[in-house]
Amino acid sequence: MNQNLPIRKVAVLGAGVMGAQIAAHCINARVPVVLFDLASSQGPKNAIADKAVANLRKLSPAPLGLSDDAAWLRSANYDDDLPLLAGCDLVIEAIAERMDWKHDLYRKVTPHLAPHAVFATNTSGLSISRLGEGFDADLRQRFCGVHFFNPPRYMPLVELIPTADTRPQVLDQLETFLTTTLGKSVVRALDTPNFVANRVGVFSILAVMHEAERFGLGFDVVDDLTGAKLGRAKSATFRTADVVGLDTMAHVIGTMRDNLPLEKDPFAALYATPAVLARLVEAGALGQKSGAGFYKKAGRDILRLDPASGDYVPAGGKAEELVVRMLKKPAAERFELLRASSNPQAQFLWAVFRDVWHYIALHLAEVADNARDLDFAIRWGFGWSEGPFETWQAAGWKRIAGWIDEDIAAGKALCATPLPQWVHDIDAVHTPQGSWSAAQQTYRPRRELAVMRRQLFGQSVLGEDAPDARRAGSTVFEDDSIRLWTAPGADDVLVASFKTKMNTLGPGVVAGLQRAADLAESQYRALVVWQTGEPFSAGADLQAMLPAFMSGGAKAIEPEERKLQELMLRLRYGQAPVVAAIRGMALGGGCELALHAARRVAALESYIGLVEAGVGLIPGGGGLCAIARRAAELAHAAGGEADLMAFLKNLYMQPATAAVSKSALHARQMGYLQDDDVIVLHKDELLYVAIAQARALAESGWRPPLPARIAVAGRSAAATIGGQLVNMRDGGQITGHDYLLGQLMAEVVCGGDVDAGSVVDEAWLMRLERERFCRLLEHPKTQERIMSLLQGGKPVRN
């Protein structure tokens, strides 16, 4: 098999929830997909698959980065369309979790597979080896498990599960595709029940349920204790079960119960479906999808189940302040306090951590190659900020092991099996040399795979001694606001990374970027703006503007706005190309910065928009100027100024409504990304691709664009937009202040008080923008919105 053979086309077998969403995410990555399901007995034979495709447009969270892309999914059925499989390089089976049903389907489809195609099953826990029984020797070498987590677009984890026969090159090829093309983070799992993440994650949920009952804690209190306060998903435990579906949860627990009897697993007694969960499933209360589970919504109120009465009662129970204070302590002190406390909530938390640590120590050898893979699986699959082994190590490896021993001896643990000897033989599970493999009794370094070299600062585990992007490379300049540096192996490209809260644009960042532009021109080939974490930038630093405004009013802000606008033009017209590397939010000034770069490289999950209207302002850093320029460019390309208003109206509505893209694909449709901008599926590859793009621009003989000559729509177009705004105001769609903001934006993008078709430059539009921005700062309703945001985190609608 050719290891470099690209995966050009994918087939997904099964148009259920997972199958359809896996197919949708392939479309997000621009990989053609054929989505198969049973032939319909009535109407069009592809009706089942067609219905699944149509439903993709309605789901929330959206599986497609752009809902209209559902049209690119090709529906198919098993009766008529199996020959289409011959043109697919990867075939993913994703039907219901029934071994017999899967085998029946395999007998039907495998004769049609291409001789080079990878065949994979998306199962959450069935034996991959048993699923592959009956395949010929060649197909066994191309068969494996590939377990996506739900929802596939957003959950980073994919578990890749080989059989004893799976060819290593197949795994490498598939991992490369999953990582770079689909943007997933891959853990290679062993072929054991529920693999790694579900095995440990579901055990953790069961332990929480068991200990919550033992300590008499309500579901709402437990969720407050086991969510964000532990660095885990806000949905915590019982809300997560409701979202996943209680029937699905019961099925996964059943897989463990059926395949892990006591002789295989000393924790087997815990795998009985919890009584309260069984009662809910039997009653059809399956969680969010049925309207009731552990929680139920009644109007605006959230109710929780009271297991004793079977009734729903008001939710809202919280962690006690004493326990909250304990959780804010460093790990070693935190667990000492929790263990020593007589508070039931503290005792509960110690117990659930101890239970998971006991479990992973006993089962590491059978579920994962090493502790790093287990920690990553839980982080990526269940949304924990750190894996269970990382927490144990941070708290003190030897001391925690001793406390677990004491609890086992005292009969407090969930099973009496002692910790394995290796726990006492080592001082840490993660080291610079690698992570501990219980099966091989040694530290295992990371696998060498070429695709990983694209992740210059990929995710690491505590103790691994991985490079920290905040300090790595060579620092060129650094202050409290910004760091200018070069990445290892890329000393010809300058990188600018902000250090402000939410990477906001304050005076320090503006000055730092001016310095960066000067340095890039004199000493480097290009400049990349990349942040060490999300967001790209939440916009202007309103807090930093406040003292100047309080002392000097809008006049004191005008020079700072001028500096910001001058920076944007400096970046656009500099002699070194600037690449904006975007992930997460790029709002307000962050969006304007991106718009003025030579090129943008954006992670799929990028949320871009000019949102100043929300705080009673208009874009003031060149955002409206960029919109006017873009509309003129599009009109010129389409054949003349007659089309200007049509293009301008669509672009104008984005800042007028403070619209934010729902993905990088959507941002391209909105006009914030251009056709030649690059969308990256794996966020950890963003810097690598941005540097490559910057070098390519420089290598191609980069010259900045000539000064823009912008045809504007003039006062008549502004009046037309104003008329539409009046209708929206009078119809109650917008407030009076929203109307004012919309009118001022229209004046800027239409070029002010000039005739239609007049040609202006960017300085003219920037001045209009700056004047109106500063005027709004004096408006009481704008001040209300800004103070509401600064004080409460959310602007008032006035």
Side-chain angles (χ1 to χ4, degrees):
M1 177 181 180
N2 182 355
Q3 186 175 347
N4 296 318
L5 186 69
I7 293 176
R8 299 157 296 189
K9 190 173 185 179
V10 172
V12 177
L13 311 179
V17 172
M18 283 301 291
Q21 292 198 52
I22 291 169
H25 192 59
C26 288
I27 292 297
N28 289 335
R30 298 308 187 243
V31 178
V33 180
V34 184
L35 180 62
F36 281 84
D37 212 297
L38 297 169
S40 176
S41 57
Q42 297 180 340
K45 295 191 76 173
N46 288 337
I48 296 174
D50 286 341
K51 183 178 179 181
V53 171
N55 194 47
L56 290 170
R57 298 174 182 266
K58 307 171 189 175
L59 292 178
S60 180
L64 288 160
L66 200 58
S67 62
D68 289 347
D69 283 349
W72 294 106
L73 279 152
R74 177 168 182 176
S75 299
N77 69 80
Y78 301 125
D79 286 358
D80 302 331
D81 300 318
L82 289 180
L84 294 174
L85 292 173
C88 297
D89 308 298
L90 170 63
V91 178
I92 302 173
E93 170 270 306
I95 68 169
E97 296 283 278
R98 284 273 301 267
M99 184 81 69
D100 54 341
W101 290 359
K102 290 177 185 284
H103 278 148
D104 286 345
L105 180 62
Y106 295 173
R107 282 189 285 272
K108 183 180 293 185
V109 302
T110 52
H112 297 273
L113 299 179
H116 69 277
V118 177
F119 188 40
T121 174
N122 180 69
T123 174
S124 62
L126 296 179
S127 167
I128 308 301
S129 296
R130 286 186 58 200
L131 284 170
E133 289 176 355
F135 291 166
D136 63 37
D138 178 66
L139 184 54
R140 284 201 306 271
Q141 293 179 27
R142 295 182 278 122
F143 179 69
C144 63
V146 54
H147 179 211
F148 287 81
F149 275 63
N150 191 25
R153 170 182 163 185
Y154 302 95
M155 293 300 292
L157 178 63
V158 170
E159 291 176 314
L160 193 55
I161 312 104
T163 70
D165 298 309
T166 310
R167 194 182 301 138
Q169 295 94 325
V170 167
L171 296 174
D172 291 348
Q173 178 194 18
L174 189 50
E175 181 168 351
T176 297
F177 172 78
L178 291 167
T179 302
T180 289
T181 305
L182 296 190
K184 300 292 107 182
S185 295
V186 174
V187 166
R188 295 199 184 181
L190 304 182
D191 191 9
T192 57
N194 285 350
F195 313 129
V196 185
N198 275 344
R199 178 78 176 269
V200 176
V202 172
F203 172 83
S204 174
I205 291 171
L206 288 170
V208 167
M209 291 179 174
H210 174 86
E211 301 292 3
E213 184 177 5
R214 184 156 75 97
F215 287 101
L217 303 180
F219 302 141
D220 47 356
V221 173
V222 170
D223 278 350
D224 193 51
L225 285 166
T226 60
K229 290 181 175 65
L230 297 186
R232 300 179 185 176
K234 290 181 180 179
S235 56
T237 303
F238 293 101
R239 280 191 178 85
T240 294
D242 273 357
V243 171
V244 169
L246 301 191
D247 51 344
T248 301
M249 184 68 65
H251 171 79
V252 175
I253 294 169
T255 300
M256 297 174 76
R257 181 184 62 245
D258 296 342
N259 294 283
L260 296 168
L262 187 60
E263 59 269 23
K264 287 186 178 181
D265 191 332
F267 291 89
L270 197 70
Y271 302 153
T273 304
V276 63
L277 177 61
R279 287 197 300 271
L280 286 168
V281 172
E282 186 178 353
L286 306 180
Q288 187 170 283
K289 60 188 174 185
S290 67
F294 290 110
Y295 295 93
K296 182 171 74 172
K297 195 170 183 181
R300 295 185 176 182
D301 297 326
I302 302 294
L303 308 179
R304 68 164 175 85
L305 180 69
D306 175 14
S309 66
D311 296 327
Y312 285 90
V313 299
K318 298 290 184 181
E320 293 182 24
E321 185 56 37
L322 172 69
V323 178
V324 174
R325 288 199 299 270
M326 292 180 188
L327 292 176
K328 293 179 180 178
K329 300 291 184 181
E333 184 179 357
R334 181 193 324 150
F335 288 104
E336 184 172 16
L337 290 169
L338 290 172
R339 186 170 188 267
S341 176
S342 60
N343 183 290
Q345 293 185 12
Q347 292 178 337
F348 159 78
L349 285 171
W350 162 253
V352 296
F353 274 97
R354 177 207 61 220
D355 294 342
V356 171
W357 288 333
H358 189 188
Y359 189 84
I360 61 177
L362 287 175
H363 290 302
L364 176 59
E366 67 181 270
V367 302
D369 176 75
N370 59 74
R372 178 180 53 251
D373 285 352
L374 189 148
D375 275 348
F376 277 153
I378 294 300
R379 279 167 47 175
W380 297 335
F382 281 79
W384 294 17
S385 61
E386 60 183 16
F389 276 124
E390 289 180 283
T391 307
W392 183 349
Q393 182 162 318
W397 183 262
K398 293 284 191 182
R399 185 170 67 156
I400 292 292
W403 288 345
I404 297 172
D405 283 338
E406 290 175 16
D407 279 11
I408 294 171
K412 296 179 180 179
L414 291 179
C415 82
T417 304
L419 291 173
Q421 184 58 42
W422 66 260
V423 172
H424 302 289
D425 292 340
I426 64 173
D427 295 319
V429 73
H430 300 304
T431 71
Q433 291 73 43
S435 293
W436 184 255
S437 170
Q440 300 190 28
Q441 295 288 295
T442 188
Y443 288 100
R444 296 273 286 173
R446 286 183 180 245
R447 283 178 296 103
E448 290 289 335
L449 203 60
V451 67
M452 294 307 163
R453 292 196 286 272
R454 297 169 59 89
Q455 298 182 19
L456 300 184
F457 300 101
Q459 297 185 54
S460 60
V461 289
L462 177 74
E464 191 176 10
D465 196 28
D468 184 340
R470 294 168 297 180
R471 292 179 288 275
S474 300
T475 299
V476 177
F477 169 82
E478 186 169 15
D479 62 14
D480 291 340
S481 298
I482 197 169
R483 180 182 182 228
L484 308 181
W485 58 290
T486 58
D491 57 6
D492 57 333
V493 175
L494 187 64
V495 180
S497 301
F498 305 169
K499 297 170 62 179
T500 51
K501 184 178 181 181
M502 300 288 283
N503 294 323
T504 51
L505 292 159
V509 169
V510 171
L513 284 173
Q514 284 282 14
R515 180 191 290 259
D518 291 340
L519 286 168
E521 286 190 352
S522 61
Q523 300 178 36
Y524 300 91
R525 303 181 73 189
L527 170 64
V528 169
V529 182
W530 175 84
Q531 315 298 6
T532 58
E534 295 183 18
F536 176 72
S537 175
D541 187 348
L542 295 176
Q543 192 77 51
M545 293 168 58
L546 198 57
F549 178 77
M550 296 300 289
S551 63
K555 288 183 179 179
I557 300 300
E558 196 273 344
E560 298 304 319
E561 275 302 294
R562 187 186 294 271
K563 288 178 185 177
L564 179 61
Q565 292 179 337
E566 288 171 350
L567 168 67
M568 297 304 174
L569 294 178
R570 176 81 173 84
L571 298 178
R572 174 172 168 79
Y573 291 109
Q575 296 301 310
V578 178
V579 174
I582 307 164
R583 55 177 169 168
M585 295 183 296
L587 305 180
C591 176
E592 290 171 315
L593 173 59
L595 287 174
H596 285 84
R599 181 156 296 170
R600 287 139 294 275
V601 176
L604 177 67
E605 301 309 327
S606 294
Y607 312 108
I608 305 173
L610 295 169
V611 297
E612 288 85 352
V615 290
L617 292 167
I618 68 170
L624 297 178
C625 173
I627 281 176
R629 184 179 65 237
R630 183 61 179 157
E633 291 169 350
L634 291 171
H636 179 74
E641 294 161 1
D643 298 312
L644 179 57
M645 186 57 181
F647 291 109
L648 183 62
K649 183 179 177 181
N650 290 335
L651 293 169
Y652 159 82
M653 288 305 297
Q654 316 296 354
T657 58
V660 177
S661 72
K662 298 174 182 177
S663 68
L665 296 168
H666 186 213
R668 179 177 280 160
Q669 185 185 62
M670 293 170 72
Y672 290 137
L673 297 181
Q674 306 306 315
D675 289 343
D676 58 354
D677 290 334
V678 180
I679 295 175
V680 175
L681 271 287
H682 202 299
K683 61 184 178 62
D684 290 340
E685 294 186 355
L686 190 67
L687 180 57
Y688 174 91
V689 176
I691 289 174
Q693 287 291 310
R695 282 172 163 165
L697 287 171
E699 191 69 26
S700 63
W702 161 261
R703 293 292 300 170
L706 294 171
R709 291 172 49 79
I710 304 167
V712 292
R715 67 178 75 86
S716 59
T720 300
I721 294 174
Q724 295 170 343
L725 291 171
V726 168
N727 293 335
M728 294 173 69
R729 181 196 62 195
D730 294 348
Q733 296 172 264
I734 59 175
T735 69
H737 198 47
D738 292 331
Y739 166 78
L740 173 62
L741 297 170
Q743 186 64 55
L744 293 177
M745 287 189 214
E747 290 175 9
V748 176
V749 298
C750 293
D753 188 17
V754 298
D755 294 334
S758 296
V759 176
V760 302
D761 59 14
E762 286 160 315
W764 174 270
L765 293 170
M766 291 281 199
R767 178 183 59 80
L768 296 178
E769 209 179 276
R770 188 170 64 249
E771 288 174 352
R772 286 153 180 77
F773 179 92
C774 292
R775 187 193 312 167
L776 282 166
L777 285 172
E778 303 281 9
H779 199 292
K781 290 190 179 296
T782 288
Q783 293 174 10
E784 279 182 34
R785 291 192 185 188
I786 292 174
M787 293 310 297
S788 174
L789 175 69
L790 294 178
Q791 293 174 359
K794 188 176 182 180
V796 69
R797 183 85 189 277
N798 56 12

